[in-house]
């Protein structure tokens, strides 16, 4: 399994039952995240627009309707969180970077500064850094990255550059390879903290991993 991690981690190991707030919980990855989190004894709050999209139920899971673009709605959930994780995805754009990744990062940053909370994790993707595109095949570089997901990656990159300017967050941006719908595996996780890909590795990873 292969993913890149960009991190500004200064956070000490947690102990006891902790409260996890999840953004993007109704997506394919978010659904797996909340299920695995409650299995690991986290108290999970999923912030969603459409609660009916989450059919999974557990005593450790709370589903709350929240407009994450409204800081007044987001703040009370940040106040109670030990860790915030985002698996957000947004519709593709064709002409400009998708702006919502940056907006959410900015909103979380302000709310976390207000509440004194620090730990936040974002799931983005390989190739957010344009310099890494040179590692891609001709088709990926000139068709998929440019015509299909390029503006989503550009939006993610804007949020990553913003996070680099903060000094009150312990953030991690996890940049997985292309996600498949396979099961949890026992494969070794290979990481690279100096580039937005893991060179020489297959460009796929099971979403459940």
């Amino acid at each position: 399994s292969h993913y890149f991690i960009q991190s500004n981690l200064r956070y000490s190991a947690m102990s006891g039952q902790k409260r996890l707030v999840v953004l993007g919980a109704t997506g394919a990855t978010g659904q797996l995240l909340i299920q695995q989190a409650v299995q690991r004894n986290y108290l999970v709050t999923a912030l969603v627009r459409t609660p009916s999209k989450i059919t999974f139920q557990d005593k450790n899971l709370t589903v709350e309707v929240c407009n994450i673009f409204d800081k007044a709605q987001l703040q009370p959930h940040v106040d109670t969180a030990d860790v915030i994780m985002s698996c957000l995805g947004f519709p593709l754009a064709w002409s400009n970077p998708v702006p919502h990744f940056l907006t959410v990062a900015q909103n979380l940053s302000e709310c976390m500064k207000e509440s004194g909370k620090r730990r936040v994790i974002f799931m983005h993707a390989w190739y957010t850094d344009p310099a890494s595109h040179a590692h891609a095949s001709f088709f990926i570089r000139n068709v998929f990255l440019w015509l299909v997901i390029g503006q989503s990656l550009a939006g993610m990159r804007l949020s990553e550059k913003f996070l680099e300017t903060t000094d009150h967050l312990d953030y991690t941006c996890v940049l997985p390879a292309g996600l498949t719908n396979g099961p949890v595996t026992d494969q070794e996780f290979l990481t690279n903290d100096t580039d937005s890909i893991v060179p020489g590795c297959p460009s796929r990873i099971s979403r459940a991993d």
Side-chain angles (χ1 to χ4, degrees), residues 119-138:
R119 189 71 177 110
V120 58
I121 301 170
F122 298 88
M123 187 192 74
H124 287 170
W126 273 21
Y127 298 116
T128 56
D129 184 353
S132 68
H133 295 186
H135 298 292
S137 67
F138 178 88

Side-chain angles (χ1 to χ4, degrees), residues 92-133:
L92 297 175
W94 303 109
S95 59
N96 295 294
V98 175
H100 307 309
F101 295 104
L102 176 59
T103 301
V104 170
Q106 291 171 330
N107 284 354
L108 282 174
S109 174
E110 292 181 28
C111 290
M112 295 177 75
K113 189 170 187 177
E114 175 70 23
S115 64
K117 300 304 175 70
R118 299 178 60 86
R119 189 71 177 110
V120 58
I121 301 170
F122 298 88
M123 187 192 74
H124 287 170
W126 273 21
Y127 298 116
T128 56
D129 184 353
S132 68
H133 295 186

Side-chain angles (χ1 to χ4, degrees), residues 14 18 26 36 62 100 104 132 158 170 175-176 180 190 201-202:
M14 298 185 302
K18 298 296 181 179
T26 60
Q36 293 186 18
T62 302
H100 307 309
V104 170
S132 68
L158 288 175
D170 292 321
L175 280 57
T180 72
L190 303 178
C201 293

